[in-house]
Amino acid sequence: MTDLLADGSRMIELIDVARSFPGPPEVRALRSIDLRIDRGEYVSMVGPSGSGKSTLLNLLGLLDRPSVGDYILDSVPTTVLEPAERARLRARTIGFVFQAFHLLPDRTVLENVMTAMLYNGTPRAHRERLARDALDRVRLSHRIDFSPTTLSGGERQRVAVARAVASSPSVLLADEPTGNLDDDTSDEVMGLFDELHQEGLTLVVITHDATVAARAQRTVRMRDGRISELA
């Protein structure tokens, strides 16, 4: 694997990153992005539809590569990694939470959380204990044998959070995590994010909700594929 870089305070650093998709016409989704997120920081990302937020999140999550520029994650220069190295780094470093939950309807709550550990090297003998601990952390121990289809929207998102943090990632990436929730349930889920941040997790949250964005330490505003403001 590529040599590690020196500055351990930086969890995420993008240097002159751009992402284009071939046409015709060519789509320039990201343009000259420079962004640093420190270890343990809580950042929200806002902007109109089509501003590049989701493309940027895909790059941060190692689901896509920049067309140009450098992305350093947890001191590792990711743009020179082979696919298998990228997959290993993603599995051990990043947790994901999405608007649509993405839970398996034919698996129990406990089994859904355990699936997150299939690809990150967690020994099989430890997976159930870690999954139970994560569900206890989001206050869903009483639902471990339920199907996700029997849960409320808030409960399903809490299962998704448990799945994302069960293997103790360094970064949590969330794409509109409250988009399918009412105000009270949104506040409950974001309260979990606050707790995770207080425990030292680095969080990046994409949202259209100004109330959700305001909970972060810092807000990144995007427009036309560029960072238009760092607040």
Side-chain angles (χ1 to χ4, degrees), residues 132-171:
R132 287 178 180 273
D133 288 347
L135 286 165
D136 184 60
R137 190 178 193 180
V138 301
R139 296 177 282 281
L140 278 178
S141 295
H142 60 300
R143 292 284 194 261
I144 60 171
D145 294 323
F146 282 57
S147 164
T149 59
T150 67
L151 304 182
S152 69
E155 287 175 327
R156 279 181 280 173
Q157 194 60 295
R158 283 156 61 193
V159 174
V161 171
R163 179 183 59 193
V165 302
S167 54
S168 299
S170 301
V171 179

Side-chain angles (χ1 to χ4, degrees), residues 97-155:
V97 176
F98 300 100
Q99 177 177 349
F101 316 132
H102 297 307
L103 301 177
L104 301 172
D106 58 341
R107 303 289 181 90
T108 67
V109 164
L110 181 64
E111 289 168 340
N112 266 276
V113 176
M114 290 172 64
T115 61
M117 293 175 272
L118 293 175
Y119 309 105
N120 65 6
T122 302
R124 184 180 183 87
H126 297 168
R127 292 175 196 162
E128 182 172 343
R129 175 181 57 80
L130 292 172
R132 287 178 180 273
D133 288 347
L135 286 165
D136 184 60
R137 190 178 193 180
V138 301
R139 296 177 282 281
L140 278 178
S141 295
H142 60 300
R143 292 284 194 261
I144 60 171
D145 294 323
F146 282 57
S147 164
T149 59
T150 67
L151 304 182
S152 69
E155 287 175 327

Side-chain angles (χ1 to χ4, degrees), residues 3-87:
D3 291 339
L4 301 184
L5 299 188
D7 190 347
S9 68
R10 301 184 184 187
M11 177 57 69
I12 287 169
E13 187 168 19
L14 302 177
I15 304 168
D16 199 23
V17 161
R19 181 68 173 101
S20 298
F21 298 95
E26 180 185 49
V27 176
R28 299 178 67 189
L30 296 175
R31 307 164 185 249
S32 300
I33 298 289
D34 291 301
L35 177 65
R36 169 178 170 169
I37 298 174
D38 287 341
R39 193 176 303 276
E41 193 174 7
Y42 184 175
V43 174
S44 59
M45 197 171 295
V46 301
S49 296
S51 61
K53 301 186 305 299
S54 293
T55 300
L56 181 55
L57 197 76
N58 285 339
L59 293 185
L60 296 180
L62 298 177
L63 300 173
D64 194 11
R65 290 180 182 267
S67 301
V68 298
D70 296 307
Y71 173 26
I72 301 164
L73 172 64
D74 199 13
S75 299
V76 179
T78 68
T79 43
V80 297
L81 297 182
E82 296 296 327
E85 293 175 313
R86 288 168 58 84

Side-chain angles (χ1 to χ4, degrees), residues 196-215:
L196 292 167
H197 171 239
Q198 290 165 10
E199 294 169 10
L201 189 62
T202 306
L203 279 82
V204 181
V205 178
I206 284 182
T207 183
H208 284 98
D209 187 325
T211 302
V212 171
R215 299 181 83 129

